[in-house]
Amino acid sequence: MSVKHPKLFEQLKALAGVTAAEWLKAEALAQEQALKKKDCFVRPGDPSDRFGVVLQGLFRAFRVSESGGESVKAFRSEGEMIGPYAELLQGIPSLTAIEALEPSRVLFWKSRDFQRLEQGHACWSMLARRVAEQHYILKERREQEFLDLSAEERLLRFWQEYRRLEKRLPQREVAAYLGITEVALSRIMSRRRKRA
Amino acid sequence: MSVKHPKLFEQLKALAGVTAAEWLKAEALAQEQALKKKDCFVRPGDPSDRFGVVLQGLFRAFRVSESGGESVKAFRSEGEMIGPYAELLQGIPSLTAIEALEPSRVLFWKSRDFQRLEQGHACWSMLARRVAEQHYILKERREQEFLDLSAEERLLRFWQEYRRLEKRLPQREVAAYLGITEVALSRIMSRRRKRA
DNA sequence: ACACCGAGTTAACCCAGGTTAATGCCGGGC
DNA sequence: GCCCGGCATTAACCTGGGTTAACTCGGTGT
């Protein structure tokens, strides 16, 4: 048996000291899933019992409010984690939809299987901790942006952070990420064009 | 030697399986600090090398933007954690100020000392993980509120969540937590009064 | 070629919140 | 007693974003 996803392994080794032996076990438990554009990895109401890593493609994690509006919590592309993470931690069904914006492939685990890995080696707990910490740092950064930046400034920061996704993201999704409507975003962009 | 802070111990035991023996070690390493109103437990620029628990009193964690505005990231009262947590994880100096809103006492640890505890027993790693997870869940909830709630709706939720702090929080601080000015908050409240 | 649909743009109108400034209301210090 | 400084309120005015709706510009499918 040999490692099927060496890049992923390197990443986890660096992050949490995952060993080659443990990674082989993990790969044995993992499943792969292919998704077409608009397919969901998770939809609201699903049990929060799986999480994965994007092998190829692009996802958006979003919620629909009672009023029907969609707000985007995150975009995730190659090498990044996807899953209804907060709900999984709380042991509740997913409130989040995670949808492919492009034809995509993910490698995923059932959370039961991951728990079995955790029993076997401390590196997996360490990984869970690092993941929680990273996620926290990101959300805190975003909180700060909502607290003291205007929509236009948030847009700027967004493109600094997600340069690599330029051209892959429809504008409506960017607007839903910023917490504004597509109309407002269009207006902001034309304002900027004029000022320039 | 006996346990000095039994309530805290129970809390950590339930959360992460901290044992009595380990907790005694932790108490031995901890220091206590008394703060007057407006004293800071941490101020911007300080090294991020300490964190603590509120024994008594009330704190606000906030940041000042370049424009001089203050935005409040969290309020913390008895039994809750304080510290420049995100910065500590990143190994950078604090960007956050943590200030007492009332005369307060905190029990705190140097992060070096906590690392020594971690070496000694897995419960401390588990605790660190649980703390990261809880913090994450909270920030995600807040993100959601910014994404699809108006300032008035956020105010409502705020009071649901922080009922216990009613009367202890000056209005200006609540406004800074919601991401609006005190003027706007005052307006919202008078609107509500009229409608009622 | 045609109709159609989804995505982005633009305009008109409304409202929430920012800004500035004046006013009122304590509570503390002299 | 008096004054003063911090905090909340109110008003006037401005601006940014929401809403609705019309229009354009590619695709895509038939």
Side-chain angles (χ1 to χ4, degrees):
Chain A
M1 280 245 283
S2 73
V3 171
K4 275 183 252 153
H5 301 285
K7 269 177 72 178
L8 213 41
F9 169 54
E10 287 308 320
Q11 206 177 308
L12 301 184
K13 184 170 147 188
L15 185 61
V18 172
T19 65
E22 286 297 318
W23 178 243
L24 282 172
K25 283 198 232 171
E27 281 190 337
L29 291 167
Q31 303 173 56
E32 227 179 286
Q33 180 177 358
L35 298 100
K36 296 192 299 293
K37 195 169 168 169
K38 286 187 176 257
D39 280 354
C40 283
F41 176 62
V42 172
R43 52 184 100 227
D46 285 0
S48 302
D49 60 355
R50 34 149 67 184
F51 62 91
V53 172
V54 181
L55 295 175
Q56 200 173 102
L58 177 59
F59 289 82
R60 70 195 248 254
F62 67 102
R63 268 170 78 163
V64 296
S65 62
E66 309 120 32
S67 44
E70 296 184 352
S71 57
V72 170
K73 298 202 293 191
F75 299 110
R76 293 286 154 79
S77 59
E78 292 81 3
E80 298 181 310
M81 249 202 63
I82 56 174
Y85 184 48
E87 296 91 330
L88 192 153
L89 292 176
Q90 295 170 90
I92 59 177
S94 181
L95 301 164
T96 310
I98 301 177
E99 187 201 72
L101 291 174
E102 305 173 353
S104 304
R105 284 183 311 118
V106 304
L107 188 70
F108 75 95
W109 291 264
K110 292 279 189 184
S111 44
R112 291 187 48 85
D113 291 335
F114 186 80
Q115 281 163 17
R116 297 227 321 279
L117 285 175
E118 274 188 57
Q119 313 289 315
H121 194 294
C123 68
W124 299 111
S125 298
M126 182 52 93
L127 178 60
R129 173 177 168 185
R130 290 274 113 91
V131 166
E133 292 172 348
Q134 295 303 323
H135 277 59
Y136 171 74
I137 290 170
L138 248 40
K139 289 302 172 195
E140 224 221 22
R141 173 143 53 229
R142 196 144 178 232
E143 168 188 63
Q144 202 57 41
E145 291 174 2
F146 278 115
L147 278 170
D148 43 48
L149 270 44
S150 67
E152 180 162 356
E153 294 169 308
R154 294 206 299 280
L155 174 63
L156 233 94
R157 294 245 184 136
F158 176 78
W159 282 127
Q160 286 171 11
E161 189 138 14
Y162 288 84
R163 245 185 325 300
R164 57 207 167 84
L165 296 185
E166 224 173 333
K167 294 286 138 201
R168 295 172 73 181
L169 286 179
Q171 218 156 282
R172 51 185 308 95
E173 307 301 341
V174 177
Y177 180 88
L178 297 176
I180 61 180
T181 61
E182 41 181 343
V183 181
L185 178 52
S186 180
R187 230 171 353 212
I188 289 173
M189 293 181 52
S190 85
R191 266 206 304 268
R192 292 180 56 75
R193 245 175 278 133
K194 263 162 212 155
R195 278 202 307 258
Chain B
M1 280 243 285
S2 74
V3 170
K4 276 182 252 153
H5 301 283
K7 271 176 72 177
L8 213 42
F9 169 52
E10 288 307 321
Q11 205 178 309
L12 300 185
K13 185 171 146 190
L15 184 62
V18 172
T19 65
E22 287 297 319
W23 178 243
L24 282 173
K25 283 197 231 169
E27 281 190 335
L29 291 168
Q31 304 173 55
E32 227 179 287
Q33 179 176 0
L35 299 99
K36 296 191 301 292
K37 196 170 166 167
K38 287 184 174 259
D39 280 355
C40 282
F41 176 62
V42 173
R43 55 183 97 227
D46 285 359
S48 302
D49 60 355
R50 35 152 64 186
F51 62 90
V53 172
V54 181
L55 295 175
Q56 200 174 106
L58 177 59
F59 289 82
R60 71 195 247 254
F62 68 100
R63 268 170 76 164
V64 296
S65 62
E66 308 119 32
S67 43
E70 296 185 352
S71 55
V72 170
K73 298 201 294 190
F75 299 111
R76 292 288 154 80
S77 59
E78 291 81 3
E80 298 181 311
M81 247 201 65
I82 56 173
Y85 184 48
E87 296 92 329
L88 192 153
L89 292 175
Q90 295 170 91
I92 59 177
S94 181
L95 300 164
T96 309
I98 301 178
E99 185 201 73
L101 292 174
E102 305 172 353
S104 304
R105 284 183 312 119
V106 303
L107 187 70
F108 74 94
W109 290 264
K110 291 279 190 184
S111 44
R112 291 187 48 85
D113 291 336
F114 186 80
Q115 281 164 17
R116 296 225 322 275
L117 286 175
E118 275 187 60
Q119 314 288 314
H121 195 295
C123 67
W124 299 112
S125 298
M126 182 52 92
L127 178 60
R129 175 178 166 185
R130 291 274 112 92
V131 166
E133 291 172 349
Q134 296 302 324
H135 277 59
Y136 172 73
I137 291 170
L138 248 42
K139 289 302 173 196
E140 223 222 21
R141 173 144 53 232
R142 195 144 180 232
E143 167 188 65
Q144 203 57 42
E145 291 174 0
F146 278 115
L147 279 171
D148 42 48
L149 270 44
S150 67
E152 180 163 356
E153 297 168 305
R154 293 206 301 279
L155 174 63
L156 232 94
R157 294 244 183 137
F158 176 78
W159 282 127
Q160 287 170 13
E161 189 138 14
Y162 288 84
R163 244 183 327 300
R164 57 208 166 83
L165 296 185
E166 224 172 334
K167 292 288 139 199
R168 294 171 73 181
L169 286 179
Q171 216 154 283
R172 54 185 306 95
E173 306 302 342
V174 177
Y177 180 88
L178 296 175
I180 61 179
T181 60
E182 42 182 340
V183 181
L185 178 51
S186 179
R187 233 175 348 217
I188 290 174
M189 291 182 53
S190 85
R191 267 207 303 268
R192 291 180 56 75
R193 246 174 277 133
K194 263 163 211 158
R195 277 203 307 259

